[in-house]
Amino acid sequence: MKRRYLCAIMAKTLVALIGAGCFTPAARQPRDAVHTAEVRDVLHQWRDAFVAGNLDGVMALYSEHFSARGKDRAAITRDLEEMMRDGHAHDVRVNVDIAAISGDDRRVSVRPIALCTQTGSDTLRLDLARETNGWRVVDMDSK
């Protein structure tokens, strides 16, 4: 009797927490720590290449299927190349360690990624998909 009562209370509490947005079911998180570690590794590679002004290193992490706000991979390559060439990224600081990862074992969304320079700051959202060659950036947005 007590066991059924406790199970009923736990179920009601779980439903209330989900409804209030206080609890995210595990299915929305990467399935295991390996996927999270893999995604974090890609984020650190992206940050290190971006801060170093290594366009090839950054673009190696973008999917051939990348598309964001009507821009494909070639367009974002041109944008980043221009930004790096003009020195807009020379003093950039990137914080990926505060970013939360949500999604599943095929596609994740990572936010916020904080970018700071002497001239201003921005936050990014990166979406990554698991491809045959690992996790790759497939979409991005800034706030």
Side-chain angles (χ1 to χ4, degrees), residues 1-39:
M1 178 80 167
K2 280 186 174 182
R3 185 176 181 175
R4 279 197 305 197
Y5 176 75
L6 286 175
C7 287
I9 293 295
M10 288 174 34
K12 287 178 183 178
T13 302
L14 183 59
V15 168
L17 287 172
I18 291 171
C22 299
F23 178 81
T24 303
R28 292 189 45 125
Q29 300 300 321
R31 291 192 182 214
D32 58 39
V34 172
H35 294 128
T36 301
E38 290 171 352
V39 170

PDB file of all heavy atoms in Angstrom, residues 1-39:
ATOM      1  N   MET A   1       0.821  -1.189   0.000  1.00  0.00           N
ATOM      2  CA  MET A   1       0.000   0.000   0.000  1.00  0.00           C
ATOM      3  C   MET A   1       0.867   1.255   0.000  1.00  0.00           C
ATOM      4  O   MET A   1       0.645   2.154  -0.791  1.00  0.00           O
ATOM      5  CB  MET A   1      -0.914  -0.052   1.229  1.00  0.00           C
ATOM      6  CG  MET A   1      -1.791   1.143   1.368  1.00  0.00           C
ATOM      7  SD  MET A   1      -3.197   0.979   0.292  1.00  0.00           S
ATOM      8  CE  MET A   1      -4.206   2.239   0.909  1.00  0.00           C
ATOM      9  N   LYS A   2       1.866   1.294   0.905  1.00  0.00           N
ATOM     10  CA  LYS A   2       2.750   2.444   0.972  1.00  0.00           C
ATOM     11  C   LYS A   2       3.516   2.613  -0.336  1.00  0.00           C
ATOM     12  O   LYS A   2       3.751   3.721  -0.779  1.00  0.00           O
ATOM     13  CB  LYS A   2       3.745   2.289   2.126  1.00  0.00           C
ATOM     14  CG  LYS A   2       3.202   2.621   3.462  1.00  0.00           C
ATOM     15  CD  LYS A   2       4.317   2.560   4.484  1.00  0.00           C
ATOM     16  CE  LYS A   2       3.840   3.025   5.840  1.00  0.00           C
ATOM     17  NZ  LYS A   2       4.919   3.014   6.808  1.00  0.00           N
ATOM     18  N   ARG A   3       3.919   1.501  -0.936  1.00  0.00           N
ATOM     19  CA  ARG A   3       4.694   1.554  -2.166  1.00  0.00           C
ATOM     20  C   ARG A   3       3.883   2.188  -3.292  1.00  0.00           C
ATOM     21  O   ARG A   3       4.389   3.025  -4.036  1.00  0.00           O
ATOM     22  CB  ARG A   3       5.152   0.156  -2.553  1.00  0.00           C
ATOM     23  CG  ARG A   3       6.040   0.151  -3.744  1.00  0.00           C
ATOM     24  CD  ARG A   3       6.555  -1.213  -4.031  1.00  0.00           C
ATOM     25  NE  ARG A   3       7.426  -1.140  -5.188  1.00  0.00           N
ATOM     26  CZ  ARG A   3       8.112  -2.117  -5.643  1.00  0.00           C
ATOM     27  NH1 ARG A   3       8.069  -3.277  -5.045  1.00  0.00           N
ATOM     28  NH2 ARG A   3       8.860  -1.971  -6.694  1.00  0.00           N
ATOM     29  N   ARG A   4       2.616   1.793  -3.460  1.00  0.00           N
ATOM     30  CA  ARG A   4       1.771   2.389  -4.490  1.00  0.00           C
ATOM     31  C   ARG A   4       1.571   3.867  -4.226  1.00  0.00           C
ATOM     32  O   ARG A   4       1.556   4.682  -5.134  1.00  0.00           O
ATOM     33  CB  ARG A   4       0.431   1.667  -4.577  1.00  0.00           C
ATOM     34  CG  ARG A   4       0.520   0.396  -5.390  1.00  0.00           C
ATOM     35  CD  ARG A   4      -0.810  -0.071  -5.804  1.00  0.00           C
ATOM     36  NE  ARG A   4      -1.694  -0.238  -4.639  1.00  0.00           N
ATOM     37  CZ  ARG A   4      -2.802  -0.917  -4.641  1.00  0.00           C
ATOM     38  NH1 ARG A   4      -3.215  -1.494  -5.753  1.00  0.00           N
ATOM     39  NH2 ARG A   4      -3.536  -1.031  -3.577  1.00  0.00           N
ATOM     40  N   TYR A   5       1.388   4.225  -2.972  1.00  0.00           N
ATOM     41  CA  TYR A   5       1.191   5.621  -2.602  1.00  0.00           C
ATOM     42  C   TYR A   5       2.440   6.444  -2.962  1.00  0.00           C
ATOM     43  O   TYR A   5       2.349   7.518  -3.544  1.00  0.00           O
ATOM     44  CB  TYR A   5       0.880   5.727  -1.111  1.00  0.00           C
ATOM     45  CG  TYR A   5       0.751   7.150  -0.625  1.00  0.00           C
ATOM     46  CD1 TYR A   5      -0.380   7.904  -0.922  1.00  0.00           C
ATOM     47  CD2 TYR A   5       1.767   7.741   0.116  1.00  0.00           C
ATOM     48  CE1 TYR A   5      -0.496   9.214  -0.491  1.00  0.00           C
ATOM     49  CE2 TYR A   5       1.655   9.040   0.553  1.00  0.00           C
ATOM     50  CZ  TYR A   5       0.531   9.782   0.243  1.00  0.00           C
ATOM     51  OH  TYR A   5       0.421  11.074   0.668  1.00  0.00           O
ATOM     52  N   LEU A   6       3.635   5.913  -2.621  1.00  0.00           N
ATOM     53  CA  LEU A   6       4.878   6.611  -2.941  1.00  0.00           C
ATOM     54  C   LEU A   6       5.075   6.735  -4.448  1.00  0.00           C
ATOM     55  O   LEU A   6       5.497   7.778  -4.949  1.00  0.00           O
ATOM     56  CB  LEU A   6       6.069   5.895  -2.304  1.00  0.00           C
ATOM     57  CG  LEU A   6       6.216   6.062  -0.798  1.00  0.00           C
ATOM     58  CD1 LEU A   6       7.353   5.198  -0.277  1.00  0.00           C
ATOM     59  CD2 LEU A   6       6.471   7.519  -0.449  1.00  0.00           C
ATOM     60  N   CYS A   7       4.775   5.685  -5.187  1.00  0.00           N
ATOM     61  CA  CYS A   7       4.896   5.731  -6.655  1.00  0.00           C
ATOM     62  C   CYS A   7       3.954   6.775  -7.240  1.00  0.00           C
ATOM     63  O   CYS A   7       4.322   7.514  -8.154  1.00  0.00           O
ATOM     64  CB  CYS A   7       4.626   4.358  -7.263  1.00  0.00           C
ATOM     65  SG  CYS A   7       5.963   3.181  -6.985  1.00  0.00           S
ATOM     66  N   ALA A   8       2.760   6.849  -6.728  1.00  0.00           N
ATOM     67  CA  ALA A   8       1.785   7.830  -7.210  1.00  0.00           C
ATOM     68  C   ALA A   8       2.269   9.243  -6.916  1.00  0.00           C
ATOM     69  O   ALA A   8       2.177  10.138  -7.772  1.00  0.00           O
ATOM     70  CB  ALA A   8       0.418   7.587  -6.584  1.00  0.00           C
ATOM     71  N   ILE A   9       2.793   9.472  -5.732  1.00  0.00           N
ATOM     72  CA  ILE A   9       3.316  10.794  -5.361  1.00  0.00           C
ATOM     73  C   ILE A   9       4.489  11.162  -6.271  1.00  0.00           C
ATOM     74  O   ILE A   9       4.584  12.284  -6.757  1.00  0.00           O
ATOM     75  CB  ILE A   9       3.748  10.825  -3.874  1.00  0.00           C
ATOM     76  CG1 ILE A   9       2.533  10.687  -2.966  1.00  0.00           C
ATOM     77  CG2 ILE A   9       4.530  12.087  -3.553  1.00  0.00           C
ATOM     78  CD1 ILE A   9       1.566  11.844  -3.044  1.00  0.00           C
ATOM     79  N   MET A  10       5.406  10.225  -6.494  1.00  0.00           N
ATOM     80  CA  MET A  10       6.567  10.489  -7.349  1.00  0.00           C
ATOM     81  C   MET A  10       6.125  10.804  -8.771  1.00  0.00           C
ATOM     82  O   MET A  10       6.657  11.719  -9.405  1.00  0.00           O
ATOM     83  CB  MET A  10       7.532   9.302  -7.310  1.00  0.00           C
ATOM     84  CG  MET A  10       8.273   9.212  -5.987  1.00  0.00           C
ATOM     85  SD  MET A  10       9.324   7.753  -5.725  1.00  0.00           S
ATOM     86  CE  MET A  10       9.968   7.350  -7.278  1.00  0.00           C
ATOM     87  N   ALA A  11       5.170  10.070  -9.295  1.00  0.00           N
ATOM     88  CA  ALA A  11       4.679  10.309 -10.647  1.00  0.00           C
ATOM     89  C   ALA A  11       4.036  11.687 -10.756  1.00  0.00           C
ATOM     90  O   ALA A  11       4.277  12.434 -11.713  1.00  0.00           O
ATOM     91  CB  ALA A  11       3.695   9.226 -11.056  1.00  0.00           C
ATOM     92  N   LYS A  12       3.224  12.062  -9.779  1.00  0.00           N
ATOM     93  CA  LYS A  12       2.578  13.379  -9.782  1.00  0.00           C
ATOM     94  C   LYS A  12       3.615  14.491  -9.689  1.00  0.00           C
ATOM     95  O   LYS A  12       3.507  15.513 -10.356  1.00  0.00           O
ATOM     96  CB  LYS A  12       1.570  13.483  -8.635  1.00  0.00           C
ATOM     97  CG  LYS A  12       0.325  12.673  -8.860  1.00  0.00           C
ATOM     98  CD  LYS A  12      -0.616  12.770  -7.684  1.00  0.00           C
ATOM     99  CE  LYS A  12      -1.838  11.888  -7.888  1.00  0.00           C
ATOM    100  NZ  LYS A  12      -2.753  11.932  -6.750  1.00  0.00           N
ATOM    101  N   THR A  13       4.633  14.300  -8.868  1.00  0.00           N
ATOM    102  CA  THR A  13       5.695  15.294  -8.729  1.00  0.00           C
ATOM    103  C   THR A  13       6.449  15.459 -10.048  1.00  0.00           C
ATOM    104  O   THR A  13       6.726  16.580 -10.482  1.00  0.00           O
ATOM    105  CB  THR A  13       6.672  14.890  -7.606  1.00  0.00           C
ATOM    106  OG1 THR A  13       5.938  14.754  -6.395  1.00  0.00           O
ATOM    107  CG2 THR A  13       7.781  15.917  -7.441  1.00  0.00           C
ATOM    108  N   LEU A  14       6.768  14.352 -10.692  1.00  0.00           N
ATOM    109  CA  LEU A  14       7.467  14.396 -11.973  1.00  0.00           C
ATOM    110  C   LEU A  14       6.634  15.128 -13.019  1.00  0.00           C
ATOM    111  O   LEU A  14       7.144  15.990 -13.734  1.00  0.00           O
ATOM    112  CB  LEU A  14       7.794  12.978 -12.451  1.00  0.00           C
ATOM    113  CG  LEU A  14       8.578  12.862 -13.745  1.00  0.00           C
ATOM    114  CD1 LEU A  14       9.923  13.575 -13.629  1.00  0.00           C
ATOM    115  CD2 LEU A  14       8.793  11.407 -14.107  1.00  0.00           C
ATOM    116  N   VAL A  15       5.352  14.835 -13.108  1.00  0.00           N
ATOM    117  CA  VAL A  15       4.468  15.508 -14.053  1.00  0.00           C
ATOM    118  C   VAL A  15       4.424  17.000 -13.758  1.00  0.00           C
ATOM    119  O   VAL A  15       4.487  17.841 -14.663  1.00  0.00           O
ATOM    120  CB  VAL A  15       3.049  14.887 -14.020  1.00  0.00           C
ATOM    121  CG1 VAL A  15       2.048  15.750 -14.766  1.00  0.00           C
ATOM    122  CG2 VAL A  15       3.084  13.489 -14.608  1.00  0.00           C
ATOM    123  N   ALA A  16       4.354  17.376 -12.479  1.00  0.00           N
ATOM    124  CA  ALA A  16       4.316  18.796 -12.105  1.00  0.00           C
ATOM    125  C   ALA A  16       5.617  19.502 -12.472  1.00  0.00           C
ATOM    126  O   ALA A  16       5.600  20.620 -12.981  1.00  0.00           O
ATOM    127  CB  ALA A  16       4.038  18.935 -10.615  1.00  0.00           C
ATOM    128  N   LEU A  17       6.753  18.854 -12.241  1.00  0.00           N
ATOM    129  CA  LEU A  17       8.041  19.457 -12.576  1.00  0.00           C
ATOM    130  C   LEU A  17       8.206  19.636 -14.079  1.00  0.00           C
ATOM    131  O   LEU A  17       8.686  20.666 -14.544  1.00  0.00           O
ATOM    132  CB  LEU A  17       9.185  18.610 -12.016  1.00  0.00           C
ATOM    133  CG  LEU A  17       9.376  18.667 -10.513  1.00  0.00           C
ATOM    134  CD1 LEU A  17      10.412  17.647 -10.068  1.00  0.00           C
ATOM    135  CD2 LEU A  17       9.774  20.058 -10.067  1.00  0.00           C
ATOM    136  N   ILE A  18       7.807  18.636 -14.854  1.00  0.00           N
ATOM    137  CA  ILE A  18       7.887  18.749 -16.312  1.00  0.00           C
ATOM    138  C   ILE A  18       6.984  19.863 -16.800  1.00  0.00           C
ATOM    139  O   ILE A  18       7.375  20.704 -17.603  1.00  0.00           O
ATOM    140  CB  ILE A  18       7.546  17.401 -16.990  1.00  0.00           C
ATOM    141  CG1 ILE A  18       8.647  16.379 -16.713  1.00  0.00           C
ATOM    142  CG2 ILE A  18       7.355  17.595 -18.496  1.00  0.00           C
ATOM    143  CD1 ILE A  18       8.300  14.975 -17.146  1.00  0.00           C
ATOM    144  N   GLY A  19       5.776  19.914 -16.272  1.00  0.00           N
ATOM    145  CA  GLY A  19       4.819  20.950 -16.672  1.00  0.00           C
ATOM    146  C   GLY A  19       5.293  22.338 -16.330  1.00  0.00           C
ATOM    147  O   GLY A  19       5.038  23.301 -17.055  1.00  0.00           O
ATOM    148  N   ALA A  20       6.004  22.483 -15.236  1.00  0.00           N
ATOM    149  CA  ALA A  20       6.492  23.793 -14.812  1.00  0.00           C
ATOM    150  C   ALA A  20       7.803  24.166 -15.487  1.00  0.00           C
ATOM    151  O   ALA A  20       8.303  25.260 -15.324  1.00  0.00           O
ATOM    152  CB  ALA A  20       6.680  23.796 -13.295  1.00  0.00           C
ATOM    153  N   GLY A  21       8.358  23.234 -16.274  1.00  0.00           N
ATOM    154  CA  GLY A  21       9.615  23.512 -16.950  1.00  0.00           C
ATOM    155  C   GLY A  21      10.829  23.372 -16.050  1.00  0.00           C
ATOM    156  O   GLY A  21      11.912  23.818 -16.399  1.00  0.00           O
ATOM    157  N   CYS A  22      10.667  22.782 -14.892  1.00  0.00           N
ATOM    158  CA  CYS A  22      11.770  22.633 -13.938  1.00  0.00           C
ATOM    159  C   CYS A  22      12.581  21.371 -14.181  1.00  0.00           C
ATOM    160  O   CYS A  22      13.626  21.182 -13.585  1.00  0.00           O
ATOM    161  CB  CYS A  22      11.238  22.588 -12.509  1.00  0.00           C
ATOM    162  SG  CYS A  22      10.375  24.080 -12.033  1.00  0.00           S
ATOM    163  N   PHE A  23      12.103  20.512 -15.015  1.00  0.00           N
ATOM    164  CA  PHE A  23      12.770  19.239 -15.252  1.00  0.00           C
ATOM    165  C   PHE A  23      12.725  18.941 -16.737  1.00  0.00           C
ATOM    166  O   PHE A  23      11.701  19.094 -17.370  1.00  0.00           O
ATOM    167  CB  PHE A  23      12.058  18.126 -14.466  1.00  0.00           C
ATOM    168  CG  PHE A  23      12.640  16.763 -14.687  1.00  0.00           C
ATOM    169  CD1 PHE A  23      13.769  16.371 -14.016  1.00  0.00           C
ATOM    170  CD2 PHE A  23      12.048  15.882 -15.571  1.00  0.00           C
ATOM    171  CE1 PHE A  23      14.303  15.111 -14.214  1.00  0.00           C
ATOM    172  CE2 PHE A  23      12.574  14.630 -15.776  1.00  0.00           C
ATOM    173  CZ  PHE A  23      13.706  14.245 -15.098  1.00  0.00           C
ATOM    174  N   THR A  24      13.853  18.554 -17.288  1.00  0.00           N
ATOM    175  CA  THR A  24      13.914  18.191 -18.694  1.00  0.00           C
ATOM    176  C   THR A  24      14.101  16.689 -18.782  1.00  0.00           C
ATOM    177  O   THR A  24      15.069  16.166 -18.226  1.00  0.00           O
ATOM    178  CB  THR A  24      15.093  18.897 -19.390  1.00  0.00           C
ATOM    179  OG1 THR A  24      14.938  20.297 -19.208  1.00  0.00           O
ATOM    180  CG2 THR A  24      15.130  18.576 -20.864  1.00  0.00           C
ATOM    181  N   PRO A  25      13.211  15.978 -19.456  1.00  0.00           N
ATOM    182  CA  PRO A  25      13.374  14.529 -19.573  1.00  0.00           C
ATOM    183  C   PRO A  25      14.722  14.166 -20.188  1.00  0.00           C
ATOM    184  O   PRO A  25      15.251  14.889 -21.024  1.00  0.00           O
ATOM    185  CB  PRO A  25      12.226  14.118 -20.490  1.00  0.00           C
ATOM    186  CG  PRO A  25      11.230  15.222 -20.387  1.00  0.00           C
ATOM    187  CD  PRO A  25      12.025  16.466 -20.124  1.00  0.00           C
ATOM    188  N   ALA A  26      15.265  13.050 -19.788  1.00  0.00           N
ATOM    189  CA  ALA A  26      16.587  12.634 -20.255  1.00  0.00           C
ATOM    190  C   ALA A  26      16.662  12.494 -21.762  1.00  0.00           C
ATOM    191  O   ALA A  26      17.722  12.647 -22.345  1.00  0.00           O
ATOM    192  CB  ALA A  26      16.981  11.322 -19.584  1.00  0.00           C
ATOM    193  N   ALA A  27      15.570  12.229 -22.437  1.00  0.00           N
ATOM    194  CA  ALA A  27      15.592  12.058 -23.888  1.00  0.00           C
ATOM    195  C   ALA A  27      16.029  13.319 -24.606  1.00  0.00           C
ATOM    196  O   ALA A  27      16.479  13.273 -25.730  1.00  0.00           O
ATOM    197  CB  ALA A  27      14.211  11.637 -24.389  1.00  0.00           C
ATOM    198  N   ARG A  28      15.930  14.470 -23.961  1.00  0.00           N
ATOM    199  CA  ARG A  28      16.331  15.726 -24.581  1.00  0.00           C
ATOM    200  C   ARG A  28      17.815  15.993 -24.415  1.00  0.00           C
ATOM    201  O   ARG A  28      18.356  16.910 -24.997  1.00  0.00           O
ATOM    202  CB  ARG A  28      15.526  16.872 -24.012  1.00  0.00           C
ATOM    203  CG  ARG A  28      14.074  16.794 -24.410  1.00  0.00           C
ATOM    204  CD  ARG A  28      13.372  18.033 -24.009  1.00  0.00           C
ATOM    205  NE  ARG A  28      14.186  19.169 -24.383  1.00  0.00           N
ATOM    206  CZ  ARG A  28      13.786  20.162 -25.133  1.00  0.00           C
ATOM    207  NH1 ARG A  28      12.585  20.172 -25.594  1.00  0.00           N
ATOM    208  NH2 ARG A  28      14.584  21.168 -25.418  1.00  0.00           N
ATOM    209  N   GLN A  29      18.490  15.239 -23.586  1.00  0.00           N
ATOM    210  CA  GLN A  29      19.915  15.410 -23.359  1.00  0.00           C
ATOM    211  C   GLN A  29      20.666  14.389 -24.211  1.00  0.00           C
ATOM    212  O   GLN A  29      20.131  13.347 -24.555  1.00  0.00           O
ATOM    213  CB  GLN A  29      20.245  15.183 -21.884  1.00  0.00           C
ATOM    214  CG  GLN A  29      19.531  16.138 -20.948  1.00  0.00           C
ATOM    215  CD  GLN A  29      19.878  17.584 -21.235  1.00  0.00           C
ATOM    216  OE1 GLN A  29      21.008  17.911 -21.533  1.00  0.00           O
ATOM    217  NE2 GLN A  29      18.885  18.455 -21.149  1.00  0.00           N
ATOM    218  N   PRO A  30      21.934  14.700 -24.586  1.00  0.00           N
ATOM    219  CA  PRO A  30      22.709  13.675 -25.283  1.00  0.00           C
ATOM    220  C   PRO A  30      22.663  12.385 -24.474  1.00  0.00           C
ATOM    221  O   PRO A  30      22.701  12.423 -23.252  1.00  0.00           O
ATOM    222  CB  PRO A  30      24.111  14.275 -25.339  1.00  0.00           C
ATOM    223  CG  PRO A  30      23.883  15.744 -25.294  1.00  0.00           C
ATOM    224  CD  PRO A  30      22.682  15.921 -24.385  1.00  0.00           C
ATOM    225  N   ARG A  31      22.594  11.262 -25.155  1.00  0.00           N
ATOM    226  CA  ARG A  31      22.315   9.991 -24.488  1.00  0.00           C
ATOM    227  C   ARG A  31      23.335   9.568 -23.451  1.00  0.00           C
ATOM    228  O   ARG A  31      23.011   8.885 -22.515  1.00  0.00           O
ATOM    229  CB  ARG A  31      22.142   8.891 -25.521  1.00  0.00           C
ATOM    230  CG  ARG A  31      20.879   9.107 -26.285  1.00  0.00           C
ATOM    231  CD  ARG A  31      20.554   7.917 -27.091  1.00  0.00           C
ATOM    232  NE  ARG A  31      19.352   8.263 -27.813  1.00  0.00           N
ATOM    233  CZ  ARG A  31      18.414   7.437 -28.104  1.00  0.00           C
ATOM    234  NH1 ARG A  31      18.532   6.197 -27.771  1.00  0.00           N
ATOM    235  NH2 ARG A  31      17.361   7.834 -28.746  1.00  0.00           N
ATOM    236  N   ASP A  32      24.567   9.946 -23.641  1.00  0.00           N
ATOM    237  CA  ASP A  32      25.548   9.553 -22.639  1.00  0.00           C
ATOM    238  C   ASP A  32      26.690  10.552 -22.583  1.00  0.00           C
ATOM    239  O   ASP A  32      26.790  11.458 -23.393  1.00  0.00           O
ATOM    240  CB  ASP A  32      26.054   8.134 -22.884  1.00  0.00           C
ATOM    241  CG  ASP A  32      26.676   7.955 -24.259  1.00  0.00           C
ATOM    242  OD1 ASP A  32      27.382   8.870 -24.718  1.00  0.00           O
ATOM    243  OD2 ASP A  32      26.461   6.917 -24.875  1.00  0.00           O
ATOM    244  N   ALA A  33      27.530  10.338 -21.608  1.00  0.00           N
ATOM    245  CA  ALA A  33      28.649  11.251 -21.386  1.00  0.00           C
ATOM    246  C   ALA A  33      29.627  11.249 -22.556  1.00  0.00           C
ATOM    247  O   ALA A  33      30.298  12.250 -22.800  1.00  0.00           O
ATOM    248  CB  ALA A  33      29.361  10.875 -20.100  1.00  0.00           C
ATOM    249  N   VAL A  34      29.701  10.153 -23.309  1.00  0.00           N
ATOM    250  CA  VAL A  34      30.607  10.090 -24.460  1.00  0.00           C
ATOM    251  C   VAL A  34      30.206  11.124 -25.502  1.00  0.00           C
ATOM    252  O   VAL A  34      31.043  11.873 -26.007  1.00  0.00           O
ATOM    253  CB  VAL A  34      30.635   8.672 -25.075  1.00  0.00           C
ATOM    254  CG1 VAL A  34      31.420   8.657 -26.370  1.00  0.00           C
ATOM    255  CG2 VAL A  34      31.204   7.675 -24.088  1.00  0.00           C
ATOM    256  N   HIS A  35      28.900  11.219 -25.819  1.00  0.00           N
ATOM    257  CA  HIS A  35      28.457  12.203 -26.797  1.00  0.00           C
ATOM    258  C   HIS A  35      28.715  13.623 -26.305  1.00  0.00           C
ATOM    259  O   HIS A  35      29.163  14.475 -27.059  1.00  0.00           O
ATOM    260  CB  HIS A  35      26.974  12.020 -27.127  1.00  0.00           C
ATOM    261  CG  HIS A  35      26.688  10.742 -27.834  1.00  0.00           C
ATOM    262  ND1 HIS A  35      25.720   9.872 -27.392  1.00  0.00           N
ATOM    263  CD2 HIS A  35      27.247  10.177 -28.916  1.00  0.00           C
ATOM    264  CE1 HIS A  35      25.705   8.823 -28.196  1.00  0.00           C
ATOM    265  NE2 HIS A  35      26.618   8.985 -29.120  1.00  0.00           N
ATOM    266  N   THR A  36      28.447  13.866 -25.037  1.00  0.00           N
ATOM    267  CA  THR A  36      28.691  15.188 -24.482  1.00  0.00           C
ATOM    268  C   THR A  36      30.176  15.526 -24.560  1.00  0.00           C
ATOM    269  O   THR A  36      30.542  16.643 -24.942  1.00  0.00           O
ATOM    270  CB  THR A  36      28.195  15.252 -23.022  1.00  0.00           C
ATOM    271  OG1 THR A  36      26.794  14.964 -23.009  1.00  0.00           O
ATOM    272  CG2 THR A  36      28.442  16.612 -22.407  1.00  0.00           C
ATOM    273  N   ALA A  37      31.025  14.582 -24.220  1.00  0.00           N
ATOM    274  CA  ALA A  37      32.475  14.810 -24.285  1.00  0.00           C
ATOM    275  C   ALA A  37      32.919  15.051 -25.724  1.00  0.00           C
ATOM    276  O   ALA A  37      33.763  15.922 -25.980  1.00  0.00           O
ATOM    277  CB  ALA A  37      33.218  13.627 -23.684  1.00  0.00           C
ATOM    278  N   GLU A  38      32.365  14.309 -26.673  1.00  0.00           N
ATOM    279  CA  GLU A  38      32.707  14.507 -28.081  1.00  0.00           C
ATOM    280  C   GLU A  38      32.304  15.904 -28.550  1.00  0.00           C
ATOM    281  O   GLU A  38      33.062  16.579 -29.241  1.00  0.00           O
ATOM    282  CB  GLU A  38      32.022  13.449 -28.956  1.00  0.00           C
ATOM    283  CG  GLU A  38      32.573  12.061 -28.777  1.00  0.00           C
ATOM    284  CD  GLU A  38      31.737  11.004 -29.495  1.00  0.00           C
ATOM    285  OE1 GLU A  38      30.642  11.326 -30.006  1.00  0.00           O
ATOM    286  OE2 GLU A  38      32.187   9.852 -29.535  1.00  0.00           O
ATOM    287  N   VAL A  39      31.110  16.337 -28.182  1.00  0.00           N
ATOM    288  CA  VAL A  39      30.636  17.665 -28.570  1.00  0.00           C
ATOM    289  C   VAL A  39      31.505  18.735 -27.926  1.00  0.00           C
ATOM    290  O   VAL A  39      31.911  19.701 -28.576  1.00  0.00           O
ATOM    291  CB  VAL A  39      29.147  17.853 -28.207  1.00  0.00           C
ATOM    292  CG1 VAL A  39      28.711  19.299 -28.369  1.00  0.00           C
ATOM    293  CG2 VAL A  39      28.275  16.937 -29.065  1.00  0.00           C
TER     294      VAL A  39
END
